Amino acid sequence: MDIFIQQIINGLVLGSMYALVALGYTMVYGVLNLINFAHGDVLMIGAMAGLTILKMLNTVAPDLPGIVKLIIAILGAIPVCVAVNVLIERVAYRRLRNAPRLAPLITAIGVSILLQTLAMMIWGRSPIPFPQEMPTEPLHIMGALISPTQVMLLILAAVAMGLLVLLIEKTRMGRAMRATSENPRVAGLMGVDSNRVIVMTFAIGAILAAIAGVMWAANYSSAQFAMGFVPGLKAFSAAVLGGIGNIYGAMLGGILLGLIESLGAGYIGDLTGGFLGSHYQDIFAFVVLIIVLTLRPSGIMGERVPDRA
């Protein structure tokens, strides 16, 4: 039972990070009907920017509490990620909105490679240790362990997702985003500035990716120029699992995928008689993606994509 609870905690931590990134995928798809495959690399930019800010803080203000330095790093990484994501939308995607779907897809892959190359040039090729700012003494929950960094991650993810729901459901910008998602032409006739809505969508996705990136690096104590590729693919799988275009589906898909991956990693050795070990955990995201696309392409929450005139 202790192992089971531990894997549940690990799955919630992992799933929270997947959910934050998956929300960026699903929001852009809902508004533009476009998969931004460079979004995982925005997570990487957030982690690298946060790492740089932490190193500066440790030089100029080493006595600050670790949690304060981590929050400052996140707040500093957010405008960097927002600027990068908005620039991606302006330069790479805006002129391709009415192009055949293959063109934006190829462009997104190209932007992903470009971001990784630039990050490699700026921060180097080798993994960089992420400073351990939070206390290392774990908390005990029913025989399982959870670190203060993971507790902070869960709280930040819950707050970020809660604020996003309030934004989408209760604000004028949220109504404009939902209207643009339903029918951009009719929304434009009703006075909605679609360009502003799309830029805001990319900016919000970047904020969530920045939080996920810094906390991912803090949780695994390392950052690297290519660190966003696999989490980005898994977050996309989570968005598809929950129902691409549905923010609640992205949250649910992220948490479920994290739990599936964590439980699978914990028990795959027993289930296969020792043939597979926990280092095969990456296969679960893609097995789940294949199963969902085969049996229920619309995802668990089954967001229907309307035909656009």
Side-chain angles (χ1 to χ4, degrees), residues 22 24-25 43 46 92 97 102 127 138 155 164 182 194 204 209 213 215 257-258 261 281 298 301 303 306:
Y25 280 108
L43 175 147
R97 289 179 188 173
L102 187 60
I155 292 172
L164 177 64
E182 287 294 325
S194 61
I204 293 171
M215 295 311 299
L257 189 60
E261 186 172 322
Q281 66 180 35
S298 60
M301 302 196 72
E303 178 73 4

Side-chain angles (χ1 to χ4, degrees), residues 30 41 56 62 75 79 107 113 144 169 172 187 194 209 226 232 237 240 242 254 274 287 290:
D41 296 291
M56 293 172 57
L75 294 177
T107 301
I113 295 171
E169 298 291 345
R172 183 175 181 181
S194 61
S237 301
V240 174
V287 169
I290 292 170

Side-chain angles (χ1 to χ4, degrees), residues 24-37 89 93 96-105 108 177 180-184 197-198 201-202 236 243-246 303-309:
Y25 280 108
T26 207
M27 289 171 62
V28 169
Y29 182 84
V31 172
L32 276 181
N33 207 23
L34 164 73
I35 301 297
N36 178 20
F37 276 117
E89 188 279 328
Y93 297 146
L96 299 177
R97 289 179 188 173
N98 298 317
R101 293 189 179 184
L102 187 60
L105 176 62
M177 291 170 69
T180 304
S181 176
E182 287 294 325
N183 194 311
V197 169
I198 291 168
T201 301
F202 274 82
F236 171 67
I244 191 76
N246 187 311
E303 178 73 4
R304 182 181 65 85
V305 180
D307 293 330
R308 295 178 175 178

Side-chain angles (χ1 to χ4, degrees), residues 280-291:
Y280 284 92
Q281 66 180 35
D282 289 344
I283 67 173
F284 290 101
F286 306 110
V287 169
V288 168
L289 177 61
I290 292 170
I291 293 173

